[in-house]
Amino acid sequence: MTQDVTMSLTFVVEPNAHPLSAAQRADLLVDPGFGRVFTDHMAIVRYSTDKGWHDARITARSPVTLEPAASVLHYAQEIFEGLKAYRRPQGAALFRPDANARRFRASARRLAMPELPEELFLESVRALVKADIDWIPQDEDGALYLRPFMFASEVFLGVKPASEYLYIVMASSVGRYFKGGPRAVSLWVTREYTRAAPGGTGAAKCGGNYAASLAAQADAISRGCDQVVFLDAAERRWIEELGGMNIFFVFDDGSIATPPLDGTILPGVTRDSILTLARDAGIAAREERYSIEQWQADAASGRLTEAFACGTAAVVTPIGRVQGEGIDFTINGERVGPTTQRIREALVAIQRGTAPDPHDWVEELA
Ligand code: COI
C-alpha cells in the first residue's frame, strides 16, 4: 500500500458523447430531492499493489462491471465521503474539501485500504465539478453533492485486505435532504440497536456502518419518526449520533454542546465547522457526553431550548420531537429556534459566498 499523500496524477478527460440536453437537465433540476439525479460524468482512478494509483480519468458516468467474487461484495471493504459544490457567479465553490480528503484517508486506514493521496482526492473532485458545472442547481437550497467512494475490486474470496481497488467520484444535483421544506424533524431513540462500539468502525465513513444502521432507521420510520438516535453501546445512555448526521444541543444560557469524538462517532466536517463558527461568535461550545435521561430532564425543565442535526446532506436541521420507549417530548414547540437559525445562516453564508470566509474553508473553481 502506498502512503504517499502528496502524489498527484493528471486526469484524462473523456467527455460524455451523449450528455443530457440542456432542456432535459433543466427538467431534472426543478425538484431534484436528494440522491436521485446524477450528472453526465464521473471520476475514476484504479489502484493495485503492483502499479499503485493509476488510470485517472473523467469519463461518462456508466455502470461498473464487477466479478461476483469481487471482495467488496463479500467482506464490505468500502468507504465514502460526502461534500458539496455550490454555484458561484463565475463558476463554483467547494467547502472544506481538504477535510474530506483527510477523513477519507483516515477511513481507508481503518478499513485496511490504501490511502488515497489528498491531492488526488482534491483533483478528482475539482475535475468532476468542472466537467459537470452546469448540473449545480440555481436555487438557494441546491448544490452538487459529490460522493467520492472506494471499494475492493480484487477477485478473491480469502479474508484479507484486497490488492485492487476502484476509487470513483460521482455527482448528484440535490435540494434539501429532508422532504417537505424547512421543518423540524422527529427522532426515535433506539434501545434495541447500537451503531458502533469502542474499537469498531464508528469513526470511519464506511458503508458497513450505514448498512448496520438501516434496521434501526427503518424502525424509526415505522414509528412515524424521521431519524433514529443511537446511544452508546457500552452503557446505552450516552447520545452518540443519528442515522446519518451529528447532533447538537442548545441550552438556556446560550451555550451549545455535541457528543465528543471518542472513536465511535463520525467526525463530521459540518460538526467541526459549527464548533468553530459558534466559538467565533462568542457562543460557548462544548464537546461533552450527554445522556438521554439528562436530555429528557433538561427538555422538561427548560434548560434545553433547542436541538439540531447537522451534516453535509442535512446542513443544519432543527429537531422538534423526540420519542422512544418511555420518552416523548417536544423541543421549542417543534419550530426552528434562534440559535439553530443563527448557526445555520452563518454556515450557509460562508458556503454560498455571501459572507467572508475567515478560516479559508472555501475553494473557488473558475
Ligand atoms: C452526508 O451528510 O454527506 C452523508 O454522508 C450522510 C448520508 C446519510 C447522506
Side-chain angles (χ1 to χ4, degrees):
M1 277 179 217
T2 177
Q3 304 301 320
D4 174 3
V5 294
T6 57
M7 177 205 139
S8 72
L9 286 176
T10 303
F11 279 81
V12 172
V13 180
E14 304 167 341
N16 186 332
H18 305 286
L20 285 196
S21 69
Q24 286 170 315
R25 194 172 58 232
D27 264 2
L28 289 171
L29 296 190
V30 171
D31 180 19
F34 183 87
R36 291 189 284 111
V37 173
F38 298 99
T39 65
D40 290 319
H41 296 91
M42 64 185 191
I44 182 161
V45 185
R46 291 176 186 276
Y47 177 88
S48 68
T49 38
D50 297 346
K51 291 192 189 169
W53 300 99
H54 62 282
D55 197 12
R57 282 176 294 136
I58 299 293
T59 191
R61 180 175 55 80
S62 57
V64 175
T65 307
L66 284 180
E67 283 284 340
S71 77
V72 65
L73 301 177
H74 304 272
Y75 310 125
Q77 238 193 325
E78 189 270 353
I79 58 172
F80 68 95
E81 271 302 324
L83 68 160
K84 281 179 175 167
Y86 303 88
R87 192 172 270 286
R88 285 293 156 85
Q90 260 81 44
L94 294 166
F95 184 71
R96 304 191 70 183
D98 51 324
N100 295 92
R102 269 195 305 281
R103 187 171 65 184
F104 199 62
R105 285 182 52 213
S107 298
R109 277 196 298 279
R110 180 61 186 84
L111 275 282
M113 299 167 88
E115 289 177 46
L116 184 75
E118 288 173 26
E119 196 49 37
L120 198 47
F121 180 102
L122 294 171
E123 281 175 23
S124 67
V125 295
R126 289 175 191 136
L128 182 60
V129 172
K130 282 185 186 163
D132 283 336
I133 202 152
D134 293 339
W135 285 85
I136 307 181
Q138 302 270 9
D139 61 289
E140 61 172 26
D141 291 319
L144 195 63
Y145 182 81
L146 300 159
R147 173 52 65 87
F149 62 107
M150 174 163 66
F151 58 87
S153 53
E154 187 187 1
V155 179
F156 181 58
L157 289 185
V159 182
K160 65 152 186 88
S163 62
E164 288 173 20
Y165 296 85
L166 277 182
Y167 166 71
I168 297 178
V169 190
M170 56 185 192
S172 174
S173 310
V174 299
R176 283 180 180 268
Y177 185 74
F178 289 105
K179 293 192 197 85
R183 65 180 177 92
V185 294
S186 55
L187 308 184
W188 176 260
V189 182
T190 181
R191 301 272 186 186
E192 192 178 349
Y193 301 100
T194 60
R195 176 184 172 278
T201 57
K205 202 159 176 67
C206 60
N209 286 344
Y210 293 78
S213 77
L214 295 179
Q217 177 64 24
D219 187 35
I221 302 262
S222 74
R223 295 168 191 276
C225 296
D226 297 295
Q227 276 277 310
V228 64
V229 190
F230 288 106
L231 304 177
D232 74 294
E235 295 182 59
R236 304 275 181 127
R237 58 186 295 240
W238 304 107
I239 296 153
E240 296 222 309
E241 62 180 274
L242 313 187
M245 47 210 77
N246 294 122
I247 186 166
F248 273 86
F249 308 98
V250 180
F251 298 97
D252 60 353
D253 63 359
S255 66
I256 66 171
T258 191
L261 301 179
D262 57 3
T264 57
I265 291 178
L266 188 81
V269 177
T270 309
R271 173 191 179 280
D272 180 74
S273 307
I274 289 170
L275 286 169
T276 305
L277 292 178
R279 288 168 185 153
D280 287 353
I283 296 173
R286 297 181 301 277
E287 295 174 80
E288 70 184 12
R289 297 211 294 181
Y290 194 51
S291 70
I292 181 63
E293 296 81 14
Q294 195 65 48
W295 192 9
Q296 209 171 353
D298 288 347
S301 73
R303 178 175 174 252
L304 177 108
T305 54
E306 302 170 40
F308 59 88
C310 68
T312 299
V315 193
V316 170
T317 300
I319 295 166
R321 185 169 179 186
V322 183
Q323 291 171 271
E325 279 152 34
I327 302 168
D328 192 355
F329 60 90
T330 57
I331 301 171
N332 195 44
E334 300 186 64
R335 291 182 312 270
V336 56
T339 302
T340 305
Q341 183 70 14
R342 186 175 162 204
I343 287 173
R344 182 183 163 95
E345 282 171 4
L347 176 70
V348 168
I350 296 174
Q351 291 171 332
R352 300 203 173 260
T354 57
D357 172 24
H359 300 283
D360 267 337
W361 283 338
V362 171
E363 179 181 329
E364 303 243 10
L365 305 175

